[in-house]
Amino acid sequence: MPQLANRQVLLGITGGIAAYKSAELVRRLRDAGATVRVVMTPAACEFITPLTLQALSGEPVHLDLLDPAAEAAMGHIELARWADLVLVAPASADFMARVAAGIADDLLSTLCLATKAPLLFAPAMNQAMWSNAATQQNLHTLTARGVRFAGPGEGAQACGDTGPGRMLEVPDLVSAAIGVFAGGLLAGVRLMLTAGPTREPIDPVRYISNSSSGKMGFALAAAAADAGAEVTLVAGPVSLPTPAGVSRIDVITAAEMHAAVMARVADCDVFIGCAAVADYRAAEIAPQKIKKTGETLELRLVRNPDIIAAVAAHRPRPFTVGFAAETNDLLAHARQKLERKGLDLVIANDVSRSDIGFGSDHNEVRVISAAGDGEPQNGSKQAVARALIEDIAHRLHATRAQTAGALPAC
Ligand code: PMT
């Protein structure tokens, strides 16, 4: 059965150049089995015509707040009740601001207030507009109210800038819509994960770190929450918004991450170590800024605690999933980590390629278990995260069923 069969998706389109992708989005949502009705803001009509969307959706396109053609002339209420999901793509900065402020001055913003259906926004705007404190504050407000966000992605923009603010590609948006309805696979499961880098200070102004952006871990947290898990995200220093429904603990150093994880491990069913934890820290942190005194500078480093190994050794033990970020001999190193750290699964991540891994919006991974090596999975980090969460959920349930079957009868 198509994954969106019997689902009624209301697609909102706001004014932005990415609106041209919305035509394709309608087609792909319908291919996935959804019935799609389109609502456009006046600005959206400057970029793409209602006629195009009517032809592709096979339904009348809605433009006006007060619609004499609607039953009881209250189109917004009828549409708000009709929708199983309100997907706004593209969602402009102005639209996010209006919804965050509770302003209902057009059909789309009004039905966002009126609907009980989940809201999924796909932001698209210039990178400076996305990074602006006002937009980030609106994002925070909307996320805290349960609005889900798909993207934005990073890269070259229509205006010539490069950075975050691109609308996700159509297949990723369809996957995000499917993800909203896929909830339940991890219902009742308490899942903790680490994400991002750690930062190990050398003196008051310098530190040792790495280029993990946190994107993979945050995508996993969002996918796990969408699958119904109660998610705790222990995040190193990154500037990413907290996914909807996720409880976040910010840390800086590996020691802080270790303490935050170990304080909660007894209350978790699944642990995923996605953070790029510094293996070493400075043996002594200089109390003042280190001065240039010679041609060389020696730093003495000491080992940090291995967080995931400590989790796997804890009793009771959560289902424990690690990542192996490798630049060479990926599978051999991943298998060694599986065994050495006592893990249930290792996600092998080739970080020698610049198009995947650290910092990128895309990834390619393989799931390694004692039973063997999985096939490569690639795509946006959101799509990879959803596939991994589904895989982890199935393996967790299989492990639980086996354990229950092994219990002696009373
Ligand atoms: O954050 P992004 O920019 O999206 O990039 C994603 C990623 C590349 C960081 C991510 O996909 C990834 O591969 N994370 C693991 C990075 C890593 O540190 O791997 P590792 O091979 O060094 O560590 C193996 C495992 O042990 C990991 O699960 C790690 O979280 C854990 N570990 C490592 C050291 C330590 N002291 N404690 C740990 O728990």
Side-chain angles (χ1 to χ4, degrees), residues 194 211-216 273-279 304-308 322-326 337 341 349 351 357-359 363 381:
T194 61
S211 50
S212 168
S213 61
K215 287 177 188 171
M216 189 66 240
C274 187
V277 185
D279 288 322
N304 269 327
D306 190 320
I307 301 168
I308 203 163
F323 271 73
E326 306 292 345
K337 278 184 181 153
K341 298 191 185 222
N349 201 164
V351 289
F358 284 101
N363 213 353
K381 283 186 174 163

Side-chain angles (χ1 to χ4, degrees), residues 226-384:
D226 285 348
E230 189 187 308
V231 181
T232 304
L233 170 62
V234 182
V238 296
S239 52
L240 292 175
T242 310
V246 167
S247 144
R248 172 173 177 174
I249 297 152
D250 285 315
V251 297
I252 305 285
T253 65
E256 287 171 12
M257 188 173 273
H258 178 253
V261 166
M262 296 318 285
R264 292 162 182 85
V265 69
D267 300 319
C268 105
D269 306 303
V270 176
F271 177 82
I272 306 177
C274 187
V277 185
D279 288 322
Y280 293 89
R281 67 179 183 280
E284 295 93 26
I285 303 171
Q288 306 297 341
K289 185 180 169 198
I290 299 171
K291 293 291 171 206
K292 271 187 292 218
T293 49
E295 286 309 307
T296 59
L297 170 71
E298 284 188 16
L299 279 178
R300 203 163 64 86
L301 302 178
V302 292
R303 278 285 280 272
N304 269 327
D306 190 320
I307 301 168
I308 203 163
V311 167
H314 188 269
R315 298 292 177 267
R317 176 186 182 283
F319 188 87
T320 310
V321 182
F323 271 73
E326 306 292 345
T327 52
N328 62 299
D329 300 327
L330 176 65
L331 296 183
H333 285 309
R335 286 184 209 115
Q336 279 165 17
K337 278 184 181 153
L338 182 78
E339 205 163 308
R340 182 159 40 84
K341 298 191 185 222
L343 309 179
D344 293 289
L345 298 178
V346 164
I347 316 298
N349 201 164
D350 182 347
V351 289
S352 68
R353 286 169 50 184
S354 61
D355 58 329
I356 57 170
F358 284 101
S360 161
D361 282 337
H362 294 86
N363 213 353
E364 181 174 299
V365 298
R366 288 177 77 164
V367 178
I368 312 298
S369 70
D373 305 342
E375 291 301 313
Q377 302 182 33
N378 54 39
S380 67
K381 283 186 174 163
Q382 284 81 3
V384 169

